[in-house]
Short mmCIF file of all heavy atoms in Angstrom, two decimals:
data_model
loop_
_atom_site.label_atom_id
_atom_site.label_comp_id
_atom_site.label_asym_id
_atom_site.label_seq_id
_atom_site.Cartn_x
_atom_site.Cartn_y
_atom_site.Cartn_z
N VAL A 1 50.85 77.85 -92.80
CA VAL A 1 51.49 77.44 -94.04
C VAL A 1 52.74 78.27 -94.22
O VAL A 1 52.70 79.50 -94.07
CB VAL A 1 50.55 77.65 -95.25
CG1 VAL A 1 51.21 77.20 -96.54
CG2 VAL A 1 49.23 76.93 -95.04
N THR A 2 53.84 77.59 -94.53
CA THR A 2 55.08 78.31 -94.81
C THR A 2 55.59 77.91 -96.19
O THR A 2 55.32 76.82 -96.68
CB THR A 2 56.18 77.99 -93.77
OG1 THR A 2 56.43 76.58 -93.76
CG2 THR A 2 55.77 78.46 -92.38
N TYR A 3 56.30 78.85 -96.79
CA TYR A 3 56.99 78.59 -98.05
C TYR A 3 58.44 78.99 -97.85
O TYR A 3 58.74 80.12 -97.47
CB TYR A 3 56.39 79.38 -99.21
CG TYR A 3 57.21 79.25 -100.47
CD1 TYR A 3 57.14 78.09 -101.23
CD2 TYR A 3 58.09 80.24 -100.85
CE1 TYR A 3 57.93 77.94 -102.36
CE2 TYR A 3 58.88 80.10 -101.99
CZ TYR A 3 58.79 78.95 -102.73
OH TYR A 3 59.58 78.79 -103.84
N ASN A 4 59.35 78.05 -98.12
CA ASN A 4 60.77 78.29 -97.94
C ASN A 4 61.45 78.15 -99.31
O ASN A 4 61.46 77.05 -99.88
CB ASN A 4 61.34 77.27 -96.95
CG ASN A 4 62.80 77.48 -96.66
OD1 ASN A 4 63.58 77.79 -97.54
ND2 ASN A 4 63.18 77.29 -95.41
N PRO A 5 62.00 79.23 -99.87
CA PRO A 5 62.60 79.17 -101.20
C PRO A 5 63.77 78.18 -101.30
O PRO A 5 63.93 77.50 -102.30
CB PRO A 5 63.10 80.60 -101.46
CG PRO A 5 62.43 81.45 -100.45
CD PRO A 5 62.03 80.58 -99.32
N LYS A 6 64.59 78.08 -100.24
CA LYS A 6 65.70 77.12 -100.26
C LYS A 6 65.19 75.69 -100.25
O LYS A 6 65.71 74.83 -100.97
CB LYS A 6 66.64 77.35 -99.08
CG LYS A 6 67.49 78.59 -99.21
CD LYS A 6 68.45 78.72 -98.04
CE LYS A 6 69.30 79.96 -98.19
NZ LYS A 6 70.22 80.13 -97.07
N LEU A 7 64.16 75.43 -99.46
CA LEU A 7 63.55 74.10 -99.43
C LEU A 7 62.93 73.77 -100.77
O LEU A 7 63.03 72.64 -101.26
CB LEU A 7 62.51 74.01 -98.31
CG LEU A 7 61.75 72.69 -98.19
CD1 LEU A 7 62.71 71.54 -97.87
CD2 LEU A 7 60.68 72.80 -97.11
N ALA A 8 62.30 74.77 -101.41
CA ALA A 8 61.69 74.56 -102.73
C ALA A 8 62.73 74.14 -103.74
O ALA A 8 62.52 73.20 -104.52
CB ALA A 8 60.98 75.83 -103.19
N LYS A 9 63.87 74.81 -103.73
CA LYS A 9 64.95 74.48 -104.67
C LYS A 9 65.43 73.05 -104.44
O LYS A 9 65.60 72.28 -105.39
CB LYS A 9 66.09 75.48 -104.50
CG LYS A 9 67.21 75.32 -105.49
CD LYS A 9 68.27 76.41 -105.30
CE LYS A 9 69.40 76.23 -106.30
NZ LYS A 9 70.42 77.26 -106.15
N LYS A 10 65.62 72.68 -103.19
CA LYS A 10 66.08 71.33 -102.84
C LYS A 10 65.05 70.28 -103.26
O LYS A 10 65.39 69.26 -103.87
CB LYS A 10 66.33 71.24 -101.33
CG LYS A 10 66.73 69.87 -100.85
CD LYS A 10 66.89 69.85 -99.33
CE LYS A 10 67.25 68.47 -98.86
NZ LYS A 10 66.29 67.89 -97.97
N GLN A 11 63.77 70.54 -102.96
CA GLN A 11 62.73 69.58 -103.28
C GLN A 11 62.53 69.44 -104.80
O GLN A 11 62.29 68.34 -105.29
CB GLN A 11 61.41 69.95 -102.59
CG GLN A 11 61.46 69.70 -101.11
CD GLN A 11 60.20 70.12 -100.39
OE1 GLN A 11 59.41 70.94 -100.88
NE2 GLN A 11 60.00 69.60 -99.19
N LYS A 12 62.65 70.53 -105.53
CA LYS A 12 62.54 70.46 -106.99
C LYS A 12 63.66 69.61 -107.58
O LYS A 12 63.45 68.83 -108.51
CB LYS A 12 62.53 71.86 -107.61
CG LYS A 12 61.23 72.59 -107.40
CD LYS A 12 61.28 74.00 -107.94
CE LYS A 12 59.98 74.73 -107.65
NZ LYS A 12 59.98 76.11 -108.10
N TYR A 13 64.85 69.74 -107.03
CA TYR A 13 65.98 68.91 -107.46
C TYR A 13 65.70 67.44 -107.17
O TYR A 13 65.92 66.58 -108.02
CB TYR A 13 67.26 69.37 -106.75
CG TYR A 13 68.42 68.44 -106.98
CD1 TYR A 13 69.14 68.47 -108.17
CD2 TYR A 13 68.79 67.50 -106.02
CE1 TYR A 13 70.20 67.61 -108.40
CE2 TYR A 13 69.85 66.63 -106.23
CZ TYR A 13 70.54 66.68 -107.42
OH TYR A 13 71.58 65.82 -107.64
N GLU A 14 65.17 67.15 -105.97
CA GLU A 14 64.85 65.77 -105.59
C GLU A 14 63.75 65.20 -106.47
O GLU A 14 63.82 64.03 -106.86
CB GLU A 14 64.46 65.71 -104.12
CG GLU A 14 65.62 65.96 -103.17
CD GLU A 14 65.21 66.16 -101.73
OE1 GLU A 14 63.99 66.24 -101.43
OE2 GLU A 14 66.11 66.24 -100.88
N ILE A 15 62.75 66.01 -106.80
CA ILE A 15 61.67 65.55 -107.68
C ILE A 15 62.23 65.18 -109.04
O ILE A 15 61.94 64.12 -109.59
CB ILE A 15 60.57 66.64 -107.81
CG1 ILE A 15 59.81 66.78 -106.49
CG2 ILE A 15 59.62 66.33 -108.97
CD1 ILE A 15 58.95 68.04 -106.40
N LYS A 16 63.06 66.08 -109.59
CA LYS A 16 63.66 65.84 -110.90
C LYS A 16 64.47 64.54 -110.89
O LYS A 16 64.39 63.73 -111.81
CB LYS A 16 64.54 67.03 -111.30
CG LYS A 16 65.13 66.93 -112.68
CD LYS A 16 65.95 68.17 -113.01
CE LYS A 16 66.60 68.01 -114.37
NZ LYS A 16 67.47 69.12 -114.69
N LYS A 17 65.24 64.35 -109.83
CA LYS A 17 66.08 63.16 -109.70
C LYS A 17 65.22 61.89 -109.62
O LYS A 17 65.52 60.88 -110.28
CB LYS A 17 66.95 63.30 -108.44
CG LYS A 17 68.07 62.32 -108.31
CD LYS A 17 68.99 62.76 -107.18
CE LYS A 17 69.25 61.60 -106.26
NZ LYS A 17 70.07 61.93 -105.12
N GLU A 18 64.14 61.93 -108.84
CA GLU A 18 63.26 60.76 -108.70
C GLU A 18 62.54 60.46 -110.01
O GLU A 18 62.36 59.28 -110.37
CB GLU A 18 62.25 60.98 -107.57
CG GLU A 18 62.88 60.89 -106.20
CD GLU A 18 61.92 61.19 -105.07
OE1 GLU A 18 60.76 61.59 -105.33
OE2 GLU A 18 62.32 61.03 -103.90
N VAL A 19 62.12 61.49 -110.73
CA VAL A 19 61.44 61.28 -112.02
C VAL A 19 62.41 60.66 -113.02
O VAL A 19 62.06 59.72 -113.74
CB VAL A 19 60.84 62.61 -112.56
CG1 VAL A 19 60.38 62.46 -114.00
CG2 VAL A 19 59.68 63.06 -111.68
N GLU A 20 63.63 61.18 -113.06
CA GLU A 20 64.65 60.61 -113.96
C GLU A 20 64.91 59.14 -113.63
O GLU A 20 65.00 58.30 -114.53
CB GLU A 20 65.96 61.41 -113.88
CG GLU A 20 65.88 62.77 -114.54
CD GLU A 20 67.13 63.61 -114.28
OE1 GLU A 20 68.11 63.12 -113.69
OE2 GLU A 20 67.10 64.80 -114.68
N GLN A 21 64.99 58.84 -112.33
CA GLN A 21 65.21 57.46 -111.91
C GLN A 21 64.03 56.58 -112.33
O GLN A 21 64.22 55.47 -112.82
CB GLN A 21 65.40 57.37 -110.40
CG GLN A 21 65.63 55.94 -109.92
CD GLN A 21 65.76 55.83 -108.41
OE1 GLN A 21 65.59 56.80 -107.68
NE2 GLN A 21 66.05 54.64 -107.94
N ALA A 22 62.82 57.07 -112.16
CA ALA A 22 61.63 56.31 -112.55
C ALA A 22 61.62 56.04 -114.06
O ALA A 22 61.30 54.94 -114.50
CB ALA A 22 60.36 57.05 -112.14
N ARG A 23 61.99 57.06 -114.85
CA ARG A 23 62.03 56.87 -116.31
C ARG A 23 63.08 55.83 -116.70
O ARG A 23 62.85 54.99 -117.57
CB ARG A 23 62.31 58.20 -117.01
CG ARG A 23 61.15 59.17 -116.94
CD ARG A 23 61.36 60.37 -117.87
NE ARG A 23 60.50 61.48 -117.58
CZ ARG A 23 59.20 61.56 -117.87
NH1 ARG A 23 58.59 60.58 -118.45
NH2 ARG A 23 58.51 62.65 -117.56
N LEU A 24 64.25 55.87 -116.05
CA LEU A 24 65.30 54.88 -116.34
C LEU A 24 64.86 53.47 -115.95
O LEU A 24 65.08 52.51 -116.70
CB LEU A 24 66.59 55.24 -115.61
CG LEU A 24 67.36 56.44 -116.13
CD1 LEU A 24 68.50 56.81 -115.19
CD2 LEU A 24 67.89 56.17 -117.53
N LEU A 25 64.23 53.35 -114.79
CA LEU A 25 63.77 52.04 -114.34
C LEU A 25 62.66 51.50 -115.24
O LEU A 25 62.62 50.31 -115.53
CB LEU A 25 63.30 52.11 -112.88
CG LEU A 25 64.42 52.30 -111.86
CD1 LEU A 25 63.84 52.66 -110.49
CD2 LEU A 25 65.27 51.03 -111.75
N LYS A 26 61.79 52.41 -115.70
CA LYS A 26 60.72 52.00 -116.62
C LYS A 26 61.34 51.49 -117.92
O LYS A 26 60.95 50.45 -118.45
CB LYS A 26 59.79 53.16 -116.90
CG LYS A 26 58.66 52.83 -117.87
CD LYS A 26 57.81 54.07 -118.15
CE LYS A 26 56.71 53.79 -119.13
NZ LYS A 26 57.14 53.61 -120.49
N ALA A 27 62.33 52.22 -118.44
CA ALA A 27 62.98 51.84 -119.69
C ALA A 27 63.69 50.49 -119.57
O ALA A 27 63.74 49.72 -120.52
CB ALA A 27 63.97 52.92 -120.12
N SER A 28 64.23 50.21 -118.39
CA SER A 28 64.95 48.94 -118.21
C SER A 28 64.04 47.82 -117.72
O SER A 28 64.50 46.74 -117.40
CB SER A 28 66.12 49.12 -117.23
OG SER A 28 65.61 49.37 -115.92
N GLN A 29 62.73 48.12 -117.63
CA GLN A 29 61.72 47.14 -117.21
C GLN A 29 62.04 46.57 -115.84
O GLN A 29 61.99 45.36 -115.61
CB GLN A 29 61.56 46.04 -118.26
CG GLN A 29 61.08 46.58 -119.58
CD GLN A 29 60.92 45.49 -120.63
OE1 GLN A 29 61.42 44.39 -120.49
NE2 GLN A 29 60.18 45.82 -121.68
N ALA A 30 62.38 47.45 -114.92
CA ALA A 30 62.72 47.05 -113.55
C ALA A 30 61.49 46.54 -112.82
O ALA A 30 60.35 46.82 -113.20
CB ALA A 30 63.32 48.23 -112.81
N LYS A 31 61.73 45.81 -111.76
CA LYS A 31 60.65 45.31 -110.91
C LYS A 31 60.13 46.44 -110.04
O LYS A 31 60.86 47.38 -109.71
CB LYS A 31 61.17 44.18 -110.01
CG LYS A 31 61.60 42.96 -110.77
CD LYS A 31 62.15 41.93 -109.80
CE LYS A 31 62.70 40.74 -110.58
NZ LYS A 31 63.35 39.78 -109.69
N LYS A 32 58.87 46.31 -109.62
CA LYS A 32 58.24 47.34 -108.79
C LYS A 32 59.06 47.60 -107.52
O LYS A 32 59.20 48.74 -107.10
CB LYS A 32 56.82 46.90 -108.43
CG LYS A 32 56.04 47.91 -107.66
CD LYS A 32 54.61 47.45 -107.40
CE LYS A 32 53.82 48.51 -106.66
NZ LYS A 32 52.44 48.10 -106.44
N SER A 33 59.63 46.58 -106.94
CA SER A 33 60.38 46.72 -105.69
C SER A 33 61.66 47.54 -105.87
O SER A 33 62.23 48.02 -104.90
CB SER A 33 60.73 45.35 -105.13
OG SER A 33 61.53 44.63 -106.04
N GLU A 34 62.11 47.74 -107.10
CA GLU A 34 63.35 48.47 -107.36
C GLU A 34 63.13 49.99 -107.47
O GLU A 34 64.10 50.75 -107.49
CB GLU A 34 64.00 47.97 -108.66
CG GLU A 34 64.43 46.51 -108.59
CD GLU A 34 64.99 46.02 -109.90
OE1 GLU A 34 66.07 46.51 -110.28
OE2 GLU A 34 64.35 45.15 -110.53
N TYR A 35 61.90 50.44 -107.52
CA TYR A 35 61.62 51.85 -107.74
C TYR A 35 61.86 52.73 -106.52
O TYR A 35 62.18 53.90 -106.65
CB TYR A 35 60.18 52.04 -108.24
CG TYR A 35 60.02 51.78 -109.72
CD1 TYR A 35 59.93 50.49 -110.21
CD2 TYR A 35 59.99 52.83 -110.62
CE1 TYR A 35 59.79 50.25 -111.57
CE2 TYR A 35 59.84 52.62 -111.98
CZ TYR A 35 59.75 51.32 -112.44
OH TYR A 35 59.62 51.09 -113.78
N GLY A 36 61.68 52.19 -105.32
CA GLY A 36 61.88 52.99 -104.11
C GLY A 36 61.00 54.22 -104.10
O GLY A 36 59.83 54.18 -104.46
N ASP A 37 61.58 55.38 -103.72
CA ASP A 37 60.83 56.64 -103.63
C ASP A 37 60.30 57.12 -104.98
O ASP A 37 59.33 57.87 -105.04
CB ASP A 37 61.70 57.74 -103.01
CG ASP A 37 61.95 57.52 -101.53
OD1 ASP A 37 61.20 56.75 -100.90
OD2 ASP A 37 62.90 58.13 -101.00
#
């Protein structure tokens, strides 16, 4: 098992971005196929 602080920072940014995108798509009542990652 490895922990990489730089990778953690990058992945946390990506998680935040994906969650924000999911919230926006939910608010706009997007289709399931539009959600992607």
Side-chain angles (χ1 to χ4, degrees):
V1 181
T2 58
Y3 173 77
N4 182 320
K6 287 183 180 179
L7 178 62
K9 185 176 179 180
K10 177 183 178 241
Q11 288 177 340
K12 286 176 183 178
Y13 171 78
E14 290 169 353
I15 290 166
K16 184 178 177 184
K17 193 169 131 183
E18 287 176 354
V19 169
E20 288 172 6
Q21 180 183 5
R23 289 191 197 284
L24 288 172
L25 289 168
K26 179 183 179 287
S28 68
Q29 298 180 344
K31 295 178 185 175
K32 184 176 182 178
S33 61
E34 297 177 67
Y35 279 80
D37 289 341

